[in-house]
Structure formats: structure tokens, C-alpha cells
Amino acid sequence: MPDQRTVILDTIRRNGAFDVVVMGGGINGIGVFRELALQGLRVLLVERNDFCSGCSAAPSRMIHGGLRYLENGEFGLVQESLRERDALLANAPHMVRPLPTTIPIRSVFSGLMNGAAGFLGFSETPSSRGALAIKAGLALYDWTTRKRRVLPRHSFRGARATFAQWPALDPNLRFSATYYDAWISYPERLGIELLLDTARLAPDSLALNRAEIARVGSAFELIDTAGGERFAVTVKAIVNATGAWLDSAIARLDASDRPAAPLVEGTKGSHLILDNEPLHRALGGHMIFFENADGRVCIMFPYLGKVLVGSTDIRVSEAGRVRCEPAETDYILAAARLVFPSIPVRAADVVFTYSGIRPLPKSDHAFTGRISRGHSVHRIAGGIPQFCMIGGKWTTFRAFAEQAADEVLAELGRERIRGTLALPIGGGLGFPADPASMAADLAAEFAISTDRAAYLVDHYGSGARDIILFCLGRPDDIRLDDRTETTAAEIVYLIRHEFVTSLSDLVLRRTSLAICGDISMAMIERIADALAAERSWNRRYRGDAVKSLVVELGTYHGVSQEMLEQRTIPGAEHESQRQGPDEPDVHQRQLPRRGARSRRLQ
């Protein structure tokens, strides 16, 4: 049976005529691909690397209404973001979940003029936000959703109530406020589920990673960079959804009417994943949304059994792959210590780092936090018009995709035939209000452990049944490692059904093995065995793939080969990574237990 990629390439080989080509397989590109395909157009999505491997793999993992955008006077963006947040809570409940968010407050009156400054277009760093400014912002936030409230209203506390709930918080706090937004567990997986939904609902449209579109005279070619083959394609319109690479993609297509000045600029955002049980415990299930000493907003919240802390916001002059640099690590760790000064937070706690470039509209603001997180579409005229998607963020991807799709539909003289605001995504279809009951039912029906069932429901939602049916009875349906419920048979399922071409696709984006700090050399070897068998790799090619992944983890994610090897030996990570030569081990933690993450289903 031909594999998934072979089927897609054979289809293009037989018929290379498309209504629209979408360049860029991040969340905005995937969103507009789905929107256009569901309107009956034949659409080709082309991604140079892997789907959701650029900026879309490096979000803060929040799905939020943008409380701080109120200071910039972006009321429309906040309203749109809150609507899209609530839609994702309904459409993807297996991955998007409510998140109580608490703001520590040190003053009363400070920051009252921040909103006025933002509305007037000033670029200066905002003043520290005091109780009155935060209260006003939260009241407006609640008012925006008054007619369709799905999350609780905000609450305010004095110092005594604050420290009763969070005794380890900065003792200088005077108040705290809690409101609700949401978080997303596996954003890269959500992108894949959108692609799989589109393949099911609109099979004439195709998505291909490790490929490029190139202009050849007045025509276009699709280049399969994984296999080297070229395909002639015809197209009526192009959507440029390449994010931070948008301007270089415009130049590459040699548009005759391209803009004289760049349309986008980037700011770099880096995040850390910390394995620090006291810090995780101190958060009490809340995200702490706080100001660092320089006035920038930072976040810290429980994420898949660890603690996610971020982020930086640094202007970059050129798009490219980025990593969290040592100075950024120091900055983020210092921010964490500022919030919980009594809890030791050390560099040795870092089990994973990630960084990406936010594709923002070109701006003259000196303070990057003042740059709009809104979105727009810029049309470039020509024989084949090009629609450039500028800006955007994870929360609003659907609304941005809808906007871009409507402009393309108008260009082509086509009508919209269906909306997507209430359309379930992937495993969110039929997902129950009580996922623990679904896990218990699957465990009983298929005689699998409750831990395994809970893990599958957590990762795949209602799609967990498909994974179980595939794995059932396979001799390799055994866990990759005692750290995880992921099995070798499950890896084979992902290879066959989810556009996998490389080891990094599996380790970094189809699973949570890397970001959770679970990935080890032993796991990598087992995953490589599965992929080599499925793709008929020889020993040398397999070995090179393993080396490439190890280098990638070390270079871009702070996971050295030494760390990978230590994780393979039970207890070794605890001894050699956690304990410095002159500091006692104050954490006293064990390796993660089987099923530890199933508690998130409660």
C-alpha cells in the first residue's frame, strides 16, 4: 500500500491544476487552506519544512483574549480574540482548556495612563500596572463577553487572601486579581488535525510538507524537496502565509507589483520548560501573569507536568531559525525568581527551550510590546494575484483565515458556502464533558491500563479509539520508555497517517516527548527503528537521521546528547543534571511516574 506522501504526489502528478496555492504551513496557512477548501475550491498547501515547525511551534501555548492589548487601544482585536478563544474551547476541548490566570499587584494607582498612551500611539514602556488600572482592564474584559460568557468573571483579593492561596508569592504584593483565559496542550498536533479534517471533508485539496513552489517564467513548479521531483502546477491565486519569511517569499515569486518597503518585521520570543516540583506546586493550577523588572509582561503556568515560563520579545532584523540564547535563559529565570523568591529556580531545572519569530506588522514603536498583534491582508496585483497574510496569532488563526479566504473568494468570483466558527476540530468532535469517563470506558472496552487510556484521550481526544484499534494486538505495542505511555505501535500510526518525513517531526511535533523533557537516546533509537522500517531506510541513512535530531535538540532546544543519555539510565538525570558541584539537591524528585499526566483529565 503506498504511503500518504506517495498518494499526494501521485495525485499532483495526474492533475496539477489548482484554484489556489497557499505558501506556508504554519497555523495561518493551515487555517486559510481549510477555509478555502471547504468552500469547494481545489487548494494546494505547500510548506518548506514541516507543518507548524516555525513560529507556530513556538507560541506561549496560551489561547487568550489579549488583556494587555487594551492598553494599545485595540478593542476590536480583544473582542475578536475573546470570540475565537471561546470557539476553540468549544471546537477543540481535547486540547484547549480553561486556565485561571492570576496577576500579582504591587501598587494601587500606577499605570492609569498606560491605556491613554497606547491609544495615542506612544511607544514608551508602560508604567507598572497598579490595582486600579488592572481592575478597569478586567472589568472591560468581562464586559466584552457579557452576552456569551463561558468562563467565570474576574475576582480581586487583598494581601491576606492572596498569601493564603499562594504563600510563596513575592511578600511585597498588596493585591492579586484572577481572571480566566485558556491554554493549548499540543498546538502542533492541532495543526495536523486541521489538515486531516480538511483531507476528509475536501479530498480534492492537498497539503504537502518538505516542498516549495517556484515561479518558472509565467508558470509555476512544485518542488518535492524530500524526493527531488518537480511538478508543473497551474493556479489562479496565491496566498502567502509564510509569516516572518513573507517578504522574502514575495521576492522569490518575482511579483511585478511588489511593495517597495517590507510588510513584516519580527520579534523573537523564547520560552523555558522547567522541571521544578516546588514551583509547579506553588502555582496551584494557575498561570501567573506578571510584569518583569523592565515592564515586559511574562507568564508562568503548569504545562504537562512541568512549568512553562516566558517570554522574551526581542527585535530581529532577518527571518531565520532562532534559539533561546544564554542571556534570554538568565532573563526568564530571573523573572521566575522575582515572582516566587523563596523557591530555588536554577538553570539545571531547564529540560527544554524553544524560540520563534513573531511575524508582526512593520512598526516604528520603540517598545515591542506596543506593536500590534492584529492581522491584515495585503493584495499584490498581477496575472496571478498574491494575498499576503500579515501578523496574526494562534488564538485568532481561524478569524484571520476567514478574512483572507473571503478576499480570495471575492477575487475568484466565488461564494462562501460554509462557516467554520462552530466547526469541531479533530478529536474535539464528540469529545465528552468528562474525559475521565471516556478514558475509563476505553480502558474497560479494550482491556488497556487506565493510564494508557487517559494518555490517549489527552493527546487525541475522540480520536483515541482509532489509535487503540490500530495498536491492538501489535507485537510492538509496548511503551518506548518507563517515562511515557507512548508506544512503538503508536509511532507507526503517526508515521502512516500524519505527514511524517523525519525524526524531528515525531519527537518535536507529533508527540510531546521532547517538550516534556522525556526524550532520551533510547527513545530516539526506538523511534528511528520504526521510521526506518516504514521508509525502508538503510543503516547509514538511519544513523545520519539520529545524529541530525540529536544536533537539532542540542542546538535549538537546550537538550544535549549528555542529557539524552542520562535520561536513558534511571536515576542518572537526578544525580548528574540536577545537582551542581557546590549546591545541595533541594528538590528530591523522582523520575516521572506512569500516568502522572492523566490527572489533567480530572
Side-chain angles (χ1 to χ4, degrees), residues 214-490:
R215 189 155 199 155
V216 182
S218 59
F220 292 90
E221 272 190 344
L222 172 71
I223 305 167
D224 169 21
T225 57
E229 191 173 356
R230 292 173 176 259
F231 305 82
V233 296
T234 61
V235 58
K236 300 173 185 175
I238 291 175
V239 176
N240 184 340
T242 54
W245 289 264
L246 184 135
D247 291 302
S248 60
I250 292 173
R252 209 165 56 246
L253 286 181
D254 194 27
S256 57
D257 192 28
R258 66 185 188 218
L263 296 175
V264 299
E265 67 176 340
T267 69
K268 177 187 176 187
S270 295
H271 300 77
L272 308 180
I273 304 295
L274 307 181
D275 191 0
N276 184 318
E277 183 59 32
L279 186 61
H280 186 275
R281 215 167 36 242
L283 289 166
H286 283 231
M287 180 172 83
I288 303 297
F289 184 77
F290 64 98
E291 290 178 273
N292 204 355
D294 61 359
R296 298 187 189 280
V297 172
C298 295
I299 60 166
M300 179 191 315
F301 69 96
Y303 178 75
L304 306 181
K306 303 297 191 297
V307 177
L308 187 155
V309 193
S311 71
T312 56
D313 196 13
I314 303 168
R315 256 194 174 92
V316 294
S317 58
E318 186 176 343
R321 189 163 186 186
V322 292
R323 63 184 182 182
C324 181
E325 300 294 346
E328 293 176 275
T329 297
D330 293 343
Y331 174 90
I332 297 171
L333 291 175
R337 297 183 190 114
L338 186 70
V339 180
F340 291 103
S342 64
I343 297 176
V345 179
R346 301 172 297 181
D349 295 333
V350 180
V351 295
F352 188 82
T353 71
Y354 65 92
S355 187
I357 298 177
R358 304 177 185 94
L360 305 179
K362 187 69 176 172
S363 170
D364 294 328
H365 280 301
F367 181 65
T368 54
R370 291 289 194 191
I371 302 175
S372 174
R373 266 54 173 178
H375 52 77
S376 63
V377 179
H378 179 88
R379 180 182 180 276
I380 298 177
I384 306 296
Q386 185 179 161
F387 296 84
C388 302
M389 299 180 73
I390 302 168
K393 61 195 185 87
W394 249 99
T395 304
T396 57
F397 82 84
R398 192 213 63 85
F400 192 10
E402 182 179 72
Q403 175 192 357
D406 285 345
E407 294 202 24
V408 175
L409 290 169
E411 178 78 26
L412 300 181
R414 301 285 290 266
E415 296 289 332
R416 174 174 284 276
I417 60 178
R418 73 181 298 180
T420 55
L421 182 61
L423 185 63
I425 298 172
L429 179 64
F431 193 69
D434 180 13
S437 65
M438 171 185 276
D441 291 344
L442 290 173
E445 181 180 354
F446 293 105
I448 61 176
S449 74
T450 54
D451 286 346
R452 170 74 172 153
Y455 155 84
L456 290 169
V457 169
D458 180 64
H459 277 66
Y460 304 103
S462 58
R465 178 177 292 273
D466 294 335
I467 308 290
I468 295 172
L469 289 171
F470 179 86
C471 296
L472 209 60
R474 288 179 177 267
D476 56 349
D477 190 27
I478 53 177
R479 290 185 298 147
L480 294 173
D481 190 294
D482 284 345
R483 296 169 175 270
T484 180
E485 290 293 338
T486 307
T487 69
E490 181 184 341

Side-chain angles (χ1 to χ4, degrees), residues 466-531:
D466 294 335
I467 308 290
I468 295 172
L469 289 171
F470 179 86
C471 296
L472 209 60
R474 288 179 177 267
D476 56 349
D477 190 27
I478 53 177
R479 290 185 298 147
L480 294 173
D481 190 294
D482 284 345
R483 296 169 175 270
T484 180
E485 290 293 338
T486 307
T487 69
E490 181 184 341
I491 293 295
V492 173
Y493 179 91
L494 299 176
I495 293 168
R496 293 185 184 180
H497 296 91
E498 297 196 351
F499 312 98
V500 170
T501 63
S502 75
L503 279 177
S504 66
D505 297 349
L506 289 163
V507 170
L508 290 168
R509 290 173 288 280
R510 306 303 186 273
T511 70
S512 59
L513 293 171
I515 198 169
C516 286
D518 290 337
I519 194 65
S520 66
M521 278 306 306
M523 280 194 206
I524 290 173
E525 295 290 353
R526 293 201 64 189
I527 295 169
D529 286 343
L531 188 51

Side-chain angles (χ1 to χ4, degrees), residues 65-289:
L67 175 64
R68 70 185 181 89
Y69 306 154
L70 292 173
E71 284 187 343
N72 295 348
E74 296 181 285
F75 304 115
L77 176 59
V78 172
Q79 188 172 37
E80 178 186 73
S81 299
L82 287 168
R83 182 194 69 213
E84 296 300 315
R85 178 203 68 185
D86 294 348
L88 280 168
L89 282 165
N91 296 335
H94 59 313
M95 293 191 196
V96 180
R97 301 154 189 176
L99 178 64
T101 301
T102 294
I103 307 172
I105 306 169
R106 294 179 173 82
S107 66
V108 177
F109 299 105
S110 180
L112 286 174
M113 296 304 294
N114 286 345
F119 188 76
L120 293 172
F122 296 155
S123 297
E124 290 82 1
T125 302
S127 302
S128 176
R129 291 91 172 165
L132 292 180
I134 290 170
K135 181 69 176 177
L138 291 176
L140 184 56
Y141 211 58
D142 286 341
W143 183 83
T144 303
T145 57
R146 67 196 182 283
K147 295 181 179 178
R148 48 171 179 80
R149 187 175 310 285
V150 299
L151 295 175
R153 293 173 58 89
H154 81 274
S155 59
F156 232 79
R157 299 176 197 82
R160 179 176 296 180
T162 296
F163 294 120
Q165 189 158 349
W166 295 279
L169 273 175
D170 175 10
N172 296 315
L173 297 180
R174 298 179 64 183
F175 309 92
S176 68
T178 295
Y179 69 100
Y180 280 77
D181 261 325
W183 69 290
I184 180 168
S185 51
Y186 312 110
E188 301 93 337
R189 285 208 53 76
L190 191 67
I192 294 297
E193 291 194 358
L194 287 164
L195 291 175
L196 295 173
D197 285 350
T198 306
R200 175 175 55 85
L201 297 170
D204 286 341
S205 291
L206 305 170
L208 194 67
N209 53 357
R210 266 63 185 220
E212 295 183 3
I213 196 80
R215 189 155 199 155
V216 182
S218 59
F220 292 90
E221 272 190 344
L222 172 71
I223 305 167
D224 169 21
T225 57
E229 191 173 356
R230 292 173 176 259
F231 305 82
V233 296
T234 61
V235 58
K236 300 173 185 175
I238 291 175
V239 176
N240 184 340
T242 54
W245 289 264
L246 184 135
D247 291 302
S248 60
I250 292 173
R252 209 165 56 246
L253 286 181
D254 194 27
S256 57
D257 192 28
R258 66 185 188 218
L263 296 175
V264 299
E265 67 176 340
T267 69
K268 177 187 176 187
S270 295
H271 300 77
L272 308 180
I273 304 295
L274 307 181
D275 191 0
N276 184 318
E277 183 59 32
L279 186 61
H280 186 275
R281 215 167 36 242
L283 289 166
H286 283 231
M287 180 172 83
I288 303 297
F289 184 77

